Amino acid sequence: MIRTLAMFAVVIATADVMATDAPIFEDQVQKVFAAKCTTCHGADRAKRKAELDLRSIGAILRGGESGPAIVVGKLGDSLLWQKIADGEMPPEGSEPLTDDEKQIIKSWLDAGAKSKSPQNAAVDLTDAERNFWAFRELKRPELPAVKNDSDITPLDRFVLVGLEAQGLSFAPIADGRTLIRRVTLDLTGLPPTRAEIDNFINDD
């Protein structure tokens, strides 16, 4: 009796460990998809095959032209796994999934396709996509040091540091006559009149 109870306890403990160790989409599966699958099933809709996006659990459940890519809790009914098991994903000519990568996906599906995000969430950005400049948090950058910092704006520093690296600098500051000529030609397509030049130059 004691031996039976002990064996039963071991089975329960093992099941708990397996449940705890079940792959999570964001921790293991997403990395596999990013490395092997999102070239054809990622952010670029022009290149996306069968309208299937594998970047988030919500997108996977929505699926593509053939419907949901997975059926939670039903490995055999999950179209994604059928394609992987039959060797159709990734397609011929692409880098194949390793046995370990297939096992991660299979274990993830077997365990109920666990994810940290809600199943109805919009597509989550990967770390690489989130690091794209347009998605980064706005922060005031440190002003770069330049050799000649007289009469320049903070924005000028970012231009000047690149020029100085090439042994260059800004052109000399234009005089009033040049400035009025530039702006008038730019806005009207005609040179300024003498009266306009005199008014601009004499305006303090």
Side-chain angles (χ1 to χ4, degrees):
M1 180 66 177
I2 294 176
R3 180 178 298 178
T4 301
L5 289 174
M7 291 177 63
F8 183 70
V10 169
V11 171
I12 294 295
T14 302
D16 288 341
V17 170
M18 289 178 65
T20 302
D21 293 342
I24 303 295
F25 178 77
E26 290 79 5
D27 293 339
Q28 293 100 348
V29 181
Q30 192 175 50
K31 295 176 182 177
V32 175
F33 288 162
K36 300 290 180 69
C37 306
T38 53
T39 300
C40 296
H41 300 287
D44 191 340
R45 296 201 65 175
K47 296 181 180 179
R48 191 181 298 163
K49 305 296 184 182
E51 286 300 317
L52 176 60
D53 189 343
L54 296 179
R55 291 178 299 151
S56 78
I57 184 63
I60 293 170
L61 287 169
R62 285 193 298 273
E65 295 174 351
S66 301
I70 64 173
V71 179
V72 176
K74 295 183 178 180
L75 179 69
D77 293 338
S78 296
L79 183 59
L80 176 66
W81 179 250
Q82 293 172 12
K83 296 290 187 182
I84 291 173
D86 292 342
E88 297 181 27
M89 284 185 67
E92 186 176 353
S94 302
E95 184 178 358
L97 294 169
T98 65
D99 290 340
D100 287 342
E101 290 170 337
K102 290 180 181 179
Q103 185 58 45
I104 288 173
I105 297 171
K106 184 176 184 296
S107 299
W108 174 65
L109 292 170
D110 274 335
K114 302 297 183 183
S115 172
K116 297 177 182 177
S117 302
Q119 294 183 354
N120 61 351
V123 173
D124 299 315
L125 299 177
T126 64
D127 289 341
E129 291 168 339
R130 192 174 292 107
N131 197 43
F132 185 68
W133 68 267
F135 300 120
R136 294 178 193 169
E137 180 183 356
L138 291 178
K139 294 182 179 179
R140 186 175 295 277
E142 294 185 8
L143 297 179
V146 293
K147 298 175 183 177
N148 182 14
D149 60 359
S150 60
D151 298 325
I152 63 172
T153 67
L155 184 60
D156 289 336
R157 286 177 172 269
F158 292 93
V159 179
L160 185 56
V161 71
L163 290 173
E164 289 182 346
Q166 302 297 323
L168 303 172
S169 185
F170 288 128
I173 296 176
D175 59 18
R177 185 180 300 274
T178 301
L179 290 175
I180 184 62
R181 182 175 175 81
R182 287 177 180 171
V183 73
T184 307
L185 281 169
D186 183 56
L187 295 177
T188 69
L190 298 171
T193 65
R194 180 162 297 279
E196 289 171 336
I197 294 174
D198 291 341
N199 288 337
F200 184 78
I201 293 175
N202 295 325
D203 187 352
D204 293 332

